[in-house]
Every structure is written in structure tokens, then in C-alpha cells.
Amino acid sequence: MVIKKEKKSCGQVVEEWKEFVWNPRTHQFMGRTGTSWAFILLFYFIFYGFLTAMFTLTMWVMLQTVSDHTPKYQDRLATPGLMIRPKTENLDVIVNISDTESWNQHVQKLNKFLEPYNDSIQAQKNDVCRPGRYYEQPDNGVLNYPKRACQFNRTQLGDCSGIGDPTHYGYSTGQPCVFIKMNRVINFYAGANQSMNVTCVGKRDEDAENLGSFVMFPANGNIDLMYFPYYGKKFHVNYTQPLVAVKFLNVTPNVEVNVECRINAANIATDDERDKFAGRVAFKLRINKT
């Protein structure tokens, strides 16, 4: 025989829920007394307090092993790469001489990029260093901060300095300047105490023919040892890395030319096929004339 359960009314269900939330006869809140709730809250307070303290201690211990100025691990950049300015998408430098907008964007980027290299700013912030030797600034047990940097004056870039230049770095006349810079690597002694320079060539025979002649600033694309080592962004607050400017004089117009520039230094490998930017950079140059 099936016994039918008496169906509770809505009012009865509400009363049962009210009694569950607060029972005035047993003084229980949601089925527990005040003492029971107090013990539960105390347990979780101690438990999560312990976890917070352990996490805080772990982070504090880890931070004691990390320098504020120098990354602890730097194995990702064993060999510095090269990069060009103006910075363009896909490293394509395209100039349409008759279209001012096509090259004015490059000019504006270069003006902003070279501003910190102005002679007046360099004289104010950086030192005149002795060429041909590293500018080392050891701590000797006491934090030597901030590190001084050597001057690299904009005037060293000659015809590519853009100072009083009506040709706008040569972009308005089809003789553009492209700037080569080496990526920064902390505590790296580029050149291994030997002279180094940047050279540029056409990647293929037809590129070499279409590239034509060019001049480099400083002369021969030299990079002096005095700009190394680099001590990091927080240590070397006014550091301006050395540049090499390449002024292309007679590129064959309306032809895409593949150019490769590389650094010639004793301790920088440039033949690693797995890393196309290790010690070198390749870009496309095109001068359009109508």
C-alpha cells in the first residue's frame, strides 16, 4: 500500500526555511550554534592566515635573490642582434620621392629617435670618454649608481645627422639614410677588446648591382669600445647606444633591393642560420621615381 506524503503548503515551506536560518528555540543560525560558528571561523582565519604568511615569506625570500638593476638570468641573448631605424613594418624602407607623405613619416620617426643624441643633451648628461677602451665602472663592494655613459654626439653621423639638412636625411632626394643599432646586452664586452665595424652588402648579385654606392658614418661604420659594457636600464640611466648611419647614394630606382648589414666583431657570430638577427639585420630598400 502506497502511503502518500502530505504535501506542504507554501507557508509551511517558508516557515521551515525561517526556522533553518534562525531557530529561536535552540538559538541556532543555519543549523549551528554561535560557539560552533566561532570555532569554524577561527579555524579558517588561522588556516588562510598561515597560507598568506607562507606565500609572503616565500616571495620575500625570492626577492632577496633578485637584483633591482640586473636580470638574474640572461641566457636568451647570448649574441646581440642588429636593428634598423626608421622602424618600419617588415623592415621595408620604401620611399616615393614625388609623394612627400611616403617619406615624411620616416623623417618624423628619425627626428624623434635622434633627439637624445643632440650634442647639447649629450654634453649635459654624458661623459667625454677615451676612445679605444671599455668604459668600465665596477662597484668594488659599493653600489656605483647611476653609471655614467659616454657621449655619442649627433654630429658624428655627418650627412645623416639631419641637422640643418634640407634633404630630410636624404629622403626627399632619393638618397636615404638608414641607421643601424646593436641591441643592448647587459655586461657584454662587444669586440673582445678589438676594433669592430658594421658592413653592408646586397644579399644577391643583382642586389649588389642595384644597391650602388653608399657612405657610412662614423667612417667605415666603426663602433668604439668605449660604449661598452652596458649595465642595464636602471644603472645606465642616460645610456645612448652607438649608431652607424648608412647613406645610400645611387640606388637603382623602382627596384626592390635586399640589403644585409652585419657587425664584424671578434666575439659576435653572424653565421647562425637559426637566428637571422644574430649580429646582422636584413631589410628591403626601394626608391620609387616617376
Side-chain angles (χ1 to χ4, degrees), residues 21-157:
V21 175
W22 173 247
N23 191 325
R25 291 180 290 101
T26 59
H27 295 90
Q28 289 182 335
F29 174 71
M30 299 189 73
R32 292 184 181 275
T33 64
T35 303
S36 177
W37 279 113
F39 278 121
I40 290 176
L41 292 176
L42 179 62
F43 168 78
Y44 280 109
F45 177 78
I46 295 174
F47 177 70
Y48 285 110
F50 173 76
L51 291 181
T52 302
M54 185 172 65
F55 176 76
T56 303
L57 178 63
T58 303
M59 292 297 296
W60 180 82
V61 171
M62 184 193 70
L63 290 174
Q64 302 313 301
T65 67
V66 178
S67 170
D68 290 336
H69 304 91
T70 306
K72 187 173 183 179
Y73 300 106
Q74 305 178 58
D75 56 346
R76 293 183 62 187
L77 281 176
T79 302
L82 298 185
M83 189 49 66
I84 67 167
R85 293 292 185 273
K87 189 176 182 180
T88 62
E89 188 175 352
N90 299 324
L91 299 181
D92 294 342
V93 181
I94 301 175
V95 180
N96 189 341
I97 298 178
S98 61
D99 182 9
T100 304
E101 290 186 4
S102 74
W103 51 261
N104 187 59
Q105 57 178 329
H106 300 322
V107 173
Q108 297 305 317
K109 290 178 182 178
L110 291 177
N111 285 338
K112 184 177 180 180
F113 173 68
L114 293 175
E115 186 176 352
Y117 291 89
N118 288 340
D119 291 22
S120 58
I121 296 177
Q122 290 291 309
Q124 178 184 358
K125 295 184 176 181
N126 295 335
D127 294 344
V128 176
C129 300
R130 179 180 172 182
R133 58 186 294 181
Y134 294 120
Y135 191 33
E136 298 180 278
Q137 302 170 74
D139 291 335
N140 294 327
V142 180
L143 186 62
N144 181 11
Y145 169 79
K147 306 288 188 184
R148 299 291 296 172
C150 294
Q151 292 184 20
F152 188 96
N153 293 312
R154 190 167 175 173
T155 50
Q156 293 177 241
L157 299 172

Side-chain angles (χ1 to χ4, degrees), residues 185-202:
V185 178
I186 296 176
N187 292 327
F188 180 68
Y189 287 76
N193 221 16
Q194 301 177 40
S195 61
M196 53 185 166
N197 72 314
V198 172
T199 54
C200 297
V201 295

